[in-house]
Amino acid sequence: MNTPAQQSQQGQPLKVGAVVITMGNRPQELRALLDSVAKQDGDRIEVVVVGNGAPVPDVPDGVRTIELPENLGIPGGRNVGIEAFGPGGTDVDILLFLDDDGLLAHTDTAELCRDAFAAAPDLGIVSFRIADPDTGVTQRRHVPRLRASDPMRSSRVTTFLGGANAVRTAVLKEVGGLPDAFFYAHEETDLAWRALDAGWMIDYRADMVLFHPTTAPSRHAVYHRMVARNRVWLARRNLPAVLVPVYLGVWLLLTLARRPSRPALKAWFGGFREGWTSPCGPRRPMKWRTVWRLTRLGRPPVI
């Protein structure tokens, strides 16, 4: 008799694929990640590596590659990878999205994903725990909830980690992919809010681990501008009108309270202005029942 990991509700095996985007500058790390995917228990995982405006380094036999002529950003590159698995990725049931300098710590991660999605038909997204490979420490910012002091506690959450997650492709088919124009920052929350509004759930799983070296997000030169611009876009696209100024006002105060450097603050305010003056894409405000659902899950959409 098949276990839940081996069959979908229709009795067919759950098919798992993986999307990895790369700038081509981490060939050894990419190979180690691909090897960790190949070692996963259960059926073989088909992998697509997208060169985001860069050549793809040598990869193992059987790994598909796509080389884009320009860097489309993180969401744009991942969306290309999604479509490599058919419209909305629906040639498979589950897609893993993994950073090219990450490494699946255990061989049972894919099977745990199959079990999780097979057992809960309303589960749309699973966020993995990111841990430093040397220390095993999980940074607080890598726990996608406000009460983040215990990274070993799994829970239902309202967003997920972009480079360490699994998505049921039915979610992508229903609500669409990541917002290309975001390029970097907050694209996961945009997808998460749309998924939650459509009735899907998101889990953070401490037992599904991606090793990833400890880094600071501000290492990206565009970090402060993109974070601010996309925060405004996120609100304009997804929140009921009355919550938009509340949400952005809270984040303005939080940013000032963190006392960023003068150059960082200048970049942040430049991005904040850009978020208001540039097109943000289609506006689809979430239902008030979704606002209440987010609140009950511990993260009302004003924080």
Side-chain angles (χ1 to χ4, degrees):
M1 180 177 179
N2 288 338
T3 67
Q6 300 299 319
Q7 59 186 354
S8 66
Q9 285 184 298
Q10 292 74 32
Q12 299 299 317
L14 287 171
K15 297 180 181 179
V16 180
V19 173
V20 180
I21 60 172
T22 184
M23 298 294 292
N25 55 350
R26 298 166 176 157
Q28 294 180 333
E29 293 90 339
L30 175 62
R31 176 58 73 111
L33 169 67
L34 297 176
D35 287 346
S36 74
V37 174
K39 293 175 183 176
Q40 290 298 298
D41 302 333
D43 293 343
R44 175 181 173 273
I45 298 172
E46 184 178 352
V47 182
V48 171
V49 177
V50 179
N52 215 355
V56 176
D58 289 338
V59 297
D61 292 341
V63 173
R64 287 194 286 160
T65 62
I66 301 171
E67 294 186 352
L68 302 177
E70 61 178 313
N71 183 356
L72 299 182
I74 294 173
R78 286 186 177 139
N79 283 338
V80 169
I82 291 168
E83 294 303 310
F85 289 92
T90 48
D91 288 350
V92 294
D93 301 298
I94 303 165
L95 275 176
L96 310 180
F97 295 91
L98 306 170
D99 276 351
D100 68 341
D101 55 346
L103 179 77
L104 290 174
H106 309 298
T107 62
D108 64 349
T109 301
E111 285 288 84
L112 289 172
C113 285
R114 293 185 181 102
D115 281 338
F117 286 111
D122 64 344
L123 179 61
I125 302 171
V126 173
S127 188
F128 301 167
R129 180 168 64 89
I130 293 179
D132 184 273
D134 297 321
T135 66
V137 171
T138 296
Q139 292 179 274
R140 187 181 182 90
R141 69 183 182 89
H142 284 151
V143 183
R145 59 177 180 247
L146 292 179
R147 296 177 179 176
S149 59
D150 182 8
M152 300 307 294
R153 178 173 67 87
S154 300
S155 69
R156 199 133 275 181
V157 292
T158 62
T159 189
F160 63 99
L161 306 175
N165 67 79
V167 178
R168 193 191 295 269
T169 55
V171 173
L172 303 171
K173 183 178 180 181
E174 181 175 358
V175 307
L178 297 157
D180 286 350
F182 279 43
F183 197 85
Y184 166 79
H186 301 319
E187 67 273 6
E188 302 92 356
T189 300
D190 188 89
L191 176 58
W193 282 1
R194 285 182 281 126
L196 289 163
D197 198 47
W200 297 99
M201 300 303 296
I202 305 170
D203 280 354
Y204 166 73
R205 288 284 298 263
D207 57 339
M208 301 181 189
V209 182
L210 184 86
F211 281 151
H212 189 283
T214 298
T215 57
S218 54
R219 72 191 186 278
H220 298 290
V222 297
Y223 171 77
H224 296 287
R225 181 176 70 87
M226 293 289 193
V227 162
R229 183 198 68 180
N230 292 357
R231 183 80 69 183
V232 177
W233 280 0
L234 179 69
R236 290 174 59 197
R237 284 163 57 93
N238 295 288
L239 290 181
V242 70
L243 293 184
V244 173
V246 180
Y247 176 80
L248 295 176
V250 167
W251 277 103
L252 172 60
L253 293 175
L254 285 172
T255 299
L256 294 174
R258 291 167 178 168
R259 301 175 65 86
S261 67
R262 186 179 294 273
L265 194 60
K266 183 179 178 181
W268 192 93
F269 273 110
F272 194 78
R273 285 192 297 270
E274 184 182 350
W276 285 108
T277 58
S278 57
C280 65
R283 174 168 164 76
R284 299 188 182 95
M286 65 178 63
K287 307 173 190 73
W288 280 104
R289 69 185 182 197
T290 305
V291 173
W292 175 236
R293 191 176 178 200
L294 288 165
T295 303
R296 286 190 293 109
L297 288 170
R299 187 137 198 176
V302 294
I303 304 175

